[in-house]
Structure formats: C-alpha cells, structure tokens
Amino acid sequence: MKSKILILIAVVLLSASSCEDFLKEEPKSLLSSSTIFTTEDGLVAGILGVYDGLMGFYTWEASGAMYLGTDEGCTKWGSSFRADFDSYSWSTESYYLAHFWHNHYTIIMRANLLIRDAPESSIEPEVVDRIVAEAKFLRALAYFRLVQLWGPVPITLGSEAEELPREPVGKVYALIVQDLIDATQPGVLPVEKSASHAGRVTHYAAKTLLGRVYLTMASYKKYGTTFEGLMSEAGKSDYGYQTSLTESTIELYGKAEVVLKDIIDNGPYELLDNYADIFVIENKNLNPESIFEVQFSEEKGAGWSKDLGYPCWPPFGTDLTSWAGHTNNKGIPSLVLFYAQEGDQRLEYNMPSNYIDLWSSNPAERFFVERTDEPDDPSNYMNMVNNNGNFYAYGGFGKYRWGPEPFVSHGYAGGQDVPTNGIMMRYADVLLMYAEASLEANGGATQDGLDAVNQIRNRARGFNIAPSQTPEFPNLTLSELTLDEIMDERVRELCIEHYRKFDLLRTNKLQEAILTRKPTNDPNMTGPITIDDSKWLYPIPQTEIDIVVDKGLLWQNPGY
C-alpha cells in the first residue's frame, strides 16, 4: 500500500517537534532516526512528533467520526463534509475520509521509527523504555480508531508504505493489545501526571485504553452481527470478530473488568465535586478526574471546538449571527430526552436552556431565549423537541465553557484559538466501562458495578443532595442496572466526548439510535433515516486503492 503522504517519516516527524535548536545542529542530509535518536533530546523530539498527530483527532474529521449522524449531534450545514457525516452520504472519493486515514497511519509510522530505533541507542534504559512505551500507546490508539471505523486494515511496522494486505480484525487487535500490555508493565510509565510532562501518557492512561479495547472486542464479538454480515458479504467471514478473536466473549469482558477495577482501586483519580470544573481551562491536565488530554498551546489553541459543537462565543453580549457563525455542529433536540428525569444537573450544563433558538420566518425576529437569574422554563426544551408550531433549534453545546466559571467570557479575541485541551479519557468513563464489563462478565449487575454508576449519578444531582430529594432521578438498584441503562448514562455523562458513535457500533445499536432522532423544521438537520448496513464502516479511500498494484490486497468494504 503506497500512500502519497507516507514518505520520509523521519523528516516529517522531526519537523513537528519542538526541539528546534537541537535539530539545527544536524545537516539536513543526516536527518534520520539513526542519528537523531542517539540523545535524550532527540528521543523527546521524536515522541513529541508522534503526539502532534493527536490534534488531528479533534479536527473536523473527528467530529464526524465521533457523533454526527447519531442521537447526539447534527450539523447546521446543509452541504458540506459535515452534512455528509450527518446523512451518511460519504463516498470512496471523500477527501476528509482520506485525510482521516492518512493522519492515523502517519501517527503509526512515526511511532514505528521510535519503537524500532530507540532501543539501539546508548541512552539510559529507563528513558528509552518510557519513550518506547509512549510510542506503543500511540500506535495502539491509532490502530484502534482505524479498526473500529474501517474494519480489517493493513498493518505496517515500518516507516515506509508498502503493498500490504488488509488483516483480520483479530490480528489488528492482537497488535493493539500487545502494545498496551508492553506499555503497562510496572515501572515503565509514570503513575502520576506532572506539569513538566503535561499531555504525555501515564501508566493508568495506558490501562484505561487497554480496558476500553477489551470491552470493545467483547462487545463486537457478542453483539456485532451487522459487522459480521459485512465481512460475510465481502467473502471475508474469517476476518470478523467472531472468527478471528481467539478468546471467548466472557474472557474478554473479564479482562476488561480486571483492568478497569485496578484503575478504580489503585489509580490516582476521583470524581470532581462539580461537573463543570472538569472542562474549564484553569483545570486542564492536572485535575484528578482527567486521565489523558490532547494538548493545545497554553497561549493559543485551535478552532477544533467549533467543529465539535462548542460555541466559541459566550451566549450573551453578541448577536445571533456572530455567535452561531462560530459553531458548526449542534445538539439534536431529542438529546434532551436522555435528561428527562428532573434533578440531573448535567442537562443545564451540557445543553443550556439559553442556547435554545426560537426562529421566525422573519430573520429580524430571530432570538435566543434570554438567560435570567432563575432557570429558564423547562417547557422550552419540549417546545424545541416537538416544534410546538415554531422553529426551535439548538445552537450548540455548553460543555467547554472557557473561563474560570460557567458563562464567564474567556476573553480570547473572536472566540477563536482558545487553548482548551481535548479530554480523551476521564475517570467517569472508567467507572461506566467497569459497570458494563462487570455486568456482562458476571451475567448480571454486581454491587461494585452498581456503586460505580451511582457515584456518577450522585455527582450529577450534587453530592450534597440526597437521592430522596430528587425522586425522579434516584440512585439505581441492581435490578435496574442493565446494558441499556448504562448506555443511556454514558450519553448523559459523556455527551460530545467522542464515545457515542463507537458505543453504538460495538453494541450494534447504531440504526436504532438514528431512528430516535427527532426532526425539527431545520432544513439542514437529517431526521430519522434508515441506513444501509454498508454505512457501519467507512470505505477504503479510493486514492489508496488506485495506487495499489494488487487490488486483492486492499479490497473495498461492501456497498462501495
């Protein structure tokens, strides 16, 4: 598989690093991993080049992969790559899918250089071991994304593109799991986060990914009938989860349960008292709920947030046109139905009532519901969901609100380049994954799993508010803790945190979820639709297939 972007990766890697003074000492002709990776500065430059690729996970391609076209979010655009994601109308020629594919393989091949060449250096073994473990974590993360979105994918362990075949998912996961087992060996990665190594992976971050991988493998093997059908249609029945994974479903759920329980029992994490505090700039990196974050500059970030539905302007002091113009995606009105139980404080934080937009046929009459000192009328939400004779639309999410407190202006000019990190892993997700793994591994809810979920619900109502004070939002009981309830709790807690599409795929609930989307009068929102099974996977980019001599190696997914 020859890819036009997969060229001299050493040079690309080094250009992405921050060790400019060090690199200037070497003539360009000598820039290679064998010469650069001979000092600790060189190794750090190399690993930073791999981390640099993670920012691509939070660009516009990521927003489509994560939640557009689900029951979480939609886009305000009627014709764009975002609209394609929302309506499942992408094609083999889609440039954004090719970019998404290339970005992941760039991460993989940058990591491959370090994994191959770093151990040959004479640097202290503990430094080398840490760098290699970080590279293996990042390689595993990239392959994990690829296998979930494309199914069987080529495996490369080098730094150059070759004519490589698509491999069974079991073989891809074997590499992912082994990389993460290597990365989580005791003493290799630091246990605690530190300000001096902000954004670099820790022991328990690698374990969190390992737990998620085991859970995903188990889910696909138990529930992934649509995926298995696609592999059968492609004539590749032995490439699916049920045939190429050697461990049983129960064994995989059990491994997830053990790994996630270790994080709960021994990791340095806890839920913050205030849900809102997780996401403000002042708490990024070192707050005890955050496990792993994608780093953006302390002084200048990027516009990634507007493509994930976060408003770049505070909701007051600006007109609708300016504000809405900086939010490309938005919540689906019916997302509010997940928060139907009164007492869940996450609703007003994730989907603020003052972000509801009542439209009129006369543009001059369009307005936001004004925020007051008292909560807005809850009926506004239902008006939005049911139209109620008007055009109620939801303008964006309030989750990442820049500034020390909610609704306090962040002060960044134009609302652009706000240096907010993307939180990729946090402790609440670990608790919910553990509850699911425990439920499935034991054939029913366990007390430990129930306690994990109720910790999150206690925080959602306010730790100082007893369950009896919110009768519509009580703690769950063992009999109530089902897979469906855990999935719903994941939406309430983790909405727009890059999990929903993957959760729906691995539990075979994607089509079911799409059919719950409540349409509005919004001409750009895709309402409930029935999708062809082929849309459960992305197509291999045609640009990749075109440059492969042996087309049988890089066969196309069914339906494309």
Side-chain angles (χ1 to χ4, degrees):
M1 180 187 60
K2 291 273 185 193
S3 171
K4 48 191 175 180
I5 70 153
L6 301 180
I7 52 176
L8 295 174
I9 297 299
V11 176
V12 177
L13 181 155
L14 294 170
S15 67
S17 74
S18 61
C19 300
E20 295 180 2
D21 291 339
F22 170 75
L23 297 179
K24 287 176 182 176
E25 297 175 5
E26 291 284 354
K28 290 184 179 180
S29 61
L30 298 180
L31 288 180
S32 70
S33 59
S34 61
T35 56
I36 293 299
F37 297 158
T38 56
T39 69
E40 184 172 346
D41 283 345
L43 284 179
V44 171
I47 197 62
L48 291 181
V50 189
Y51 279 108
D52 182 71
L54 290 186
M55 287 189 286
F57 283 15
Y58 285 82
T59 59
W60 41 264
E61 305 102 327
S63 68
M66 311 300 181
Y67 79 88
L68 290 179
T70 71
D71 50 1
E72 272 193 346
C74 58
T75 184
K76 71 175 187 179
W77 298 101
S79 177
S80 68
F81 54 83
R82 303 176 188 92
D84 289 350
F85 278 126
D86 199 42
S87 60
Y88 292 81
S89 55
W90 54 71
S91 74
T92 60
E93 306 288 346
S94 298
Y95 67 92
Y96 43 86
L97 292 183
H99 187 271
F100 205 19
W101 172 280
H102 292 162
N103 181 61
H104 284 72
Y105 273 106
T106 299
I107 291 171
I108 287 166
M109 292 200 293
R110 290 178 181 179
N112 287 345
L113 279 177
L114 282 161
I115 294 167
R116 184 193 68 192
D117 292 345
E120 300 301 318
S121 70
S122 58
I123 304 167
E124 292 83 352
E126 60 270 20
V127 174
V128 172
D129 289 347
R130 174 176 179 172
I131 294 290
V132 170
E134 290 178 90
K136 287 188 173 183
F137 166 84
L138 294 165
R139 182 170 73 178
L141 177 60
Y143 271 124
F144 186 42
R145 286 283 177 82
L146 286 167
V147 76
Q148 290 178 93
L149 296 172
W150 275 276
V153 293
I155 294 176
T156 177
L157 301 178
S159 60
E160 296 180 358
E162 304 171 31
E163 295 271 337
L164 297 171
R166 297 180 69 179
E167 300 286 0
V169 296
K171 188 172 180 179
V172 181
Y173 276 101
L175 174 61
I176 294 169
V177 168
Q178 189 58 58
D179 273 353
L180 293 173
I181 288 175
D182 292 345
T184 53
Q185 291 302 302
V188 176
L189 290 171
V191 171
E192 300 278 355
K193 296 178 291 184
S194 67
S196 60
H197 292 91
R200 292 176 66 178
V201 67
T202 63
H203 174 79
Y204 286 108
K207 278 207 162 181
T208 298
L209 182 57
L210 179 59
R212 189 188 311 286
V213 168
Y214 281 138
L215 184 62
T216 298
M217 295 165 69
S219 301
Y220 268 110
K221 189 155 189 175
K222 181 172 182 177
Y223 297 108
T225 55
T226 300
F227 181 89
E228 300 302 318
L230 289 172
M231 293 300 99
S232 178
E233 185 179 344
K236 304 288 184 180
S237 297
D238 55 342
Y239 277 51
Y241 288 83
Q242 295 177 2
T243 52
S244 65
L245 293 181
T246 59
E247 295 162 295
S248 70
T249 299
I250 293 299
E251 287 174 325
L252 291 167
Y253 278 123
K255 287 187 173 183
E257 180 185 27
V258 169
V259 169
L260 295 166
K261 189 65 162 64
D262 178 60
I263 300 168
I264 293 170
D265 289 345
N266 301 307
Y269 309 111
E270 63 183 15
L271 296 180
L272 297 183
D273 289 348
N274 184 1
Y275 183 76
D277 288 344
I278 302 166
F279 307 102
V280 297
I281 290 177
E282 287 73 12
N283 286 337
K284 73 180 189 179
N285 285 321
L286 297 180
N287 85 72
E289 185 165 342
S290 175
I291 297 175
F292 183 69
E293 302 181 17
V294 175
Q295 299 298 297
F296 290 89
S297 168
E298 290 292 332
E299 298 178 357
K300 183 176 181 179
W304 64 268
S305 53
K306 69 177 182 178
D307 273 305
L308 288 175
Y310 309 129
C312 292
W313 289 95
F316 51 87
T318 61
D319 60 51
L320 171 61
T321 302
S322 297
W323 182 84
H326 290 85
T327 305
N328 289 324
N329 301 328
K330 59 187 180 181
I332 289 178
S334 53
L335 179 59
V336 71
L337 299 178
F338 283 98
Y339 298 93
Q341 299 166 309
E342 186 175 349
D344 189 342
Q345 297 181 8
R346 294 170 297 191
L347 170 60
E348 186 59 24
Y349 196 77
N350 290 334
M351 299 182 70
S353 54
N354 67 309
Y355 285 12
I356 297 172
D357 180 25
L358 173 59
W359 286 54
S360 165
S361 58
N362 180 358
E365 296 176 3
R366 297 175 182 176
F367 64 95
F368 278 119
V369 177
E370 293 294 333
R371 184 172 181 81
T372 66
D373 291 335
E374 298 297 326
D376 292 313
D377 186 350
S379 66
N380 285 330
Y381 285 117
M382 294 316 298
N383 287 338
M384 178 180 68
V385 173
N386 298 320
N387 293 323
N388 197 29
N390 296 296
F391 182 172
Y392 283 84
Y394 195 72
F397 292 91
K399 196 159 215 172
Y400 278 87
R401 298 176 183 176
W402 309 290
E405 297 177 4
F407 297 106
V408 173
S409 177
H410 47 65
Y412 292 92
Q416 298 296 319
D417 297 322
V418 180
T420 306
N421 285 347
I423 300 177
M424 188 172 281
M425 302 176 188
R426 63 180 177 95
Y427 185 55
D429 179 38
V430 170
L431 292 173
L432 289 169
M433 288 195 295
Y434 170 72
E436 180 185 348
S438 179
L439 173 82
E440 297 280 13
N442 296 283
T446 65
Q447 188 61 50
D448 282 348
L450 179 67
D451 291 344
V453 174
N454 282 335
Q455 278 189 60
I456 292 171
R457 291 172 73 89
N458 284 335
R459 197 259 300 276
R461 75 169 60 85
F463 280 128
N464 296 323
I465 300 175
S468 59
Q469 294 178 258
T470 57
E472 293 187 21
F473 186 55
N475 280 350
L476 299 176
T477 65
L478 283 170
S479 62
E480 293 169 330
L481 190 62
T482 63
L483 178 61
D484 284 342
E485 185 58 50
I486 292 172
M487 290 297 108
D488 287 353
E489 195 64 39
R490 288 183 64 81
V491 176
R492 289 187 281 265
E493 176 69 21
L494 304 168
C495 79
I496 319 304
E497 291 186 51
H498 325 124
Y499 302 113
R500 187 57 174 169
K501 178 74 171 289
F502 297 127
D503 283 346
L504 294 172
L505 287 171
R506 67 183 176 82
T507 57
N508 214 47
K509 293 179 179 292
L510 179 61
Q511 178 64 84
E512 176 185 331
I514 296 171
L515 292 176
T516 67
R517 289 162 65 107
K518 289 281 188 178
T520 70
N521 298 336
D522 188 337
N524 298 329
M525 177 185 167
T526 302
I529 58 173
T530 299
I531 61 171
D532 185 84
D533 286 351
S534 64
K535 299 301 183 181
W536 292 57
L537 291 174
Y538 289 152
I540 303 297
Q542 191 61 43
T543 52
E544 297 299 310
I545 293 177
D546 288 345
I547 55 180
V548 172
V549 175
D550 184 351
K551 306 300 183 185
L553 296 178
L554 200 62
W555 45 275
Q556 185 57 273
N557 282 329
Y560 296 102

